[in-house]
Amino acid sequence: MAIRNRRLTCACPGFAAAISLAALCVLTPSTAFAVADLLETPARSTELATTSLLNDVTRAGDSERLVAVGERGHIIYSDDGGAKWTQASVPVSVTLTGVDFGSASHGWAVGHSGAVLHSSDSGANWTLQMTGIQAANLAIAGVQQEIEALEQRLETAAEEDVGDLEWAMDDLTFGLENMQADLSVGPVNPFLDVWFEDADRGFVIGAYGMIFHTVDGGSQWQDWARKLDNGDNYHLNAITKIGGGALVIVGEAGQIHVSEDNGITWDRRDSGYEGSLFGVTGTDNSGEALAFGLRGTVMHTTDNGQSWDRVQTGSSTTLNDGASAGERLVLVGNNGTLVTRDGANDAFKETLRADRLGLMGVVINGPQKLLLVGEGGVVLMEGDAGLVEQGAVE
């Protein structure tokens, strides 16, 4: 069974993730209204959907259907390995950054403006399930509850504990004020990735430490941010389940969070790397994962993240996504970069596509076949250079 990683950064042409995220924070009120409008504007049907920026691709559960998401609310799907694609009906026009399926029928896509979309028909039609405004209100309510609980503790706290509790109160109050200020601007913060266990249970993660959990297919969401050791609210970029069942989240500032109880509790694991990690993928081996990101950095663990080693791949290009099938491993990144390993004991090899267009997602489509998505839309590769022209959207 092929195992792939979950998603990356706030994707935009040029892949200047940090710049694009920063730009979202300085929107004027008029821009914020324009962003909100994109949540109410259905994606336009276009023959360019297969050649425009696509940020993620996955299979619909255990089926053969492939589903890819990208800019302007584009979602496309294919039932023939990527030769022909059909554009889905999508109620928003925001850039979509991640997609995952909990079953062959039920899928979720996430993106800018805090958009969370759901499909119950294998990706053909989508409905808007949550927006950034709803997410912000949930997060604010959670912090307010924490402040109320802390106020009660202060009333009965021992004198030697008062200073620490007041310090914690200041942090919560400051964070609450920032969240309320963001809310006044509009739904500006993006979700960056999504993972679902089945048709009911899953997570969405994103900028500034956003993480929400559902157990009923997204009818209701719970703010999970306080369950992670991420007091600085660093961006959370990717989430996946690895062999053996552990969930892994990676993000900004070298963050790696691991849950061994299906997301109920999380431990922060130290890899020794402090740069941004944009993706994580498991293998067929229990406890094994590779986390990757800036400047070609690849970190490797075989014990659910308790210890990490840096892998030398020969690449210095930012890596965005990865997939594995058996012992084969493929990582993709900026400038048309592919980093591959055919066997567990083989060395990594870096190759560059001639078009140098950034790659954002990969699915292993067969022994010598890859389906890639990125700046140039959909690309089918066979062997080292066997490029097949993508089909038009029907």
Side-chain angles (χ1 to χ4, degrees):
M1 179 180 68
I3 302 174
R4 66 179 308 280
N5 94 305
R6 304 273 19 101
R7 221 2 335 135
L8 150 85
T9 82
C10 178
C12 56
F15 306 96
I19 295 174
S20 64
L21 283 169
L24 290 170
C25 300
V26 292
L27 296 175
T28 64
S30 61
T31 305
F33 285 123
V35 168
D37 288 345
L38 295 178
L39 287 169
E40 301 172 356
T41 304
R44 181 178 298 179
S45 179
T46 172
E47 293 182 355
L48 301 178
T50 56
T51 58
S52 300
L53 173 67
L54 294 170
N55 291 318
D56 196 14
V57 60
T58 192
R59 292 196 183 277
D62 293 329
S63 74
E64 291 301 312
R65 172 161 290 187
L66 295 162
V67 181
V69 303
E71 65 178 348
R72 300 187 180 91
H74 293 165
I75 300 181
I76 57 178
Y77 59 92
S78 173
D79 294 319
D80 60 2
K84 295 181 180 179
W85 294 84
T86 302
Q87 188 170 356
S89 174
V90 181
V92 301
S93 296
V94 297
T95 292
L96 300 174
T97 55
V99 59
D100 193 44
F101 278 74
S103 69
S105 299
H106 289 275
W108 285 261
V110 298
H112 288 195
S113 305
V116 179
L117 304 173
H118 172 244
S119 173
S120 59
D121 60 2
S122 303
N125 296 277
W126 297 79
T127 58
L128 182 61
Q129 204 169 61
M130 184 163 63
T131 70
I133 295 294
Q134 294 166 304
N137 281 322
L138 285 172
I140 286 171
V143 174
Q144 288 173 332
Q145 290 178 356
E146 283 199 70
I147 289 175
E148 292 172 3
L150 198 54
E151 287 173 341
Q152 294 178 1
R153 288 180 61 189
L154 275 167
E155 291 177 359
T156 59
E159 184 175 350
E160 62 269 20
D161 296 330
V162 169
D164 289 341
L165 292 175
E166 288 179 340
W167 186 273
M169 178 68 78
D170 287 344
D171 282 347
L172 285 172
T173 302
F174 179 76
L176 178 61
E177 291 171 351
N178 281 341
M179 295 164 71
Q180 290 169 331
D182 286 345
L183 183 59
S184 69
V185 175
V188 296
N189 294 333
F191 284 117
L192 303 176
D193 198 13
V194 53
W195 173 86
F196 265 76
E197 173 74 15
D198 49 35
D200 297 314
R201 297 169 294 172
F203 289 90
V204 293
I205 65 173
Y208 305 105
M210 290 195 301
I211 174 170
F212 293 87
H213 179 50
T214 182
V215 295
D216 58 9
S219 295
Q220 295 180 318
W221 293 89
Q222 292 179 298
D223 180 20
W224 226 245
R226 299 294 168 179
K227 293 184 179 291
L228 271 63
D229 179 10
N230 184 21
D232 291 317
N233 295 325
Y234 288 125
H235 308 320
L236 304 176
N237 292 328
I239 177 172
T240 197
K241 174 173 276 191
I242 66 173
L247 282 171
V248 183
I249 291 174
V250 301
E252 189 182 16
Q255 285 184 95
I256 300 177
H257 305 274
V258 176
S259 173
E260 298 185 52
D261 56 10
N262 221 34
I264 304 303
T265 61
W266 294 83
D267 294 323
R268 185 159 178 172
R269 305 283 165 85
D270 182 13
S271 71
Y273 177 66
E274 297 181 355
S276 288
L277 296 168
F278 294 142
V280 57
T281 187
T283 69
D284 285 345
N285 299 320
S286 179
E288 184 175 28
L290 293 100
F292 42 87
L294 285 177
R295 297 180 292 278
T297 299
V298 179
M299 307 301 298
H300 176 245
T301 182
T302 58
D303 56 11
N304 286 336
Q306 297 288 353
S307 61
W308 295 83
D309 296 312
R310 188 159 184 165
V311 177
Q312 300 301 321
T313 66
S315 176
S316 59
T317 303
T318 292
L319 299 171
N320 300 322
D321 194 20
S324 68
E327 293 187 347
R328 190 181 184 201
L329 180 68
V330 180
L331 308 177
V332 298
N334 293 359
N335 302 322
T337 298
L338 290 93
V339 174
T340 58
R341 186 192 69 187
D342 293 328
N345 298 319
D346 294 337
F348 282 90
K349 178 179 67 173
E350 180 188 40
T351 57
L352 300 177
R353 288 186 48 77
D355 57 22
R356 296 297 194 272
L357 294 177
L359 300 173
M360 305 293 285
V362 55
V363 167
I364 296 177
N365 231 7
Q368 294 296 322
K369 295 181 179 181
L370 299 177
L371 186 142
L372 310 170
V373 299
E375 285 185 298
V378 176
V379 174
L380 292 176
M381 272 189 61
E382 186 167 358
D384 291 333
L387 182 61
V388 179
E389 186 176 356
Q390 61 266 32
V393 173
E394 296 176 348

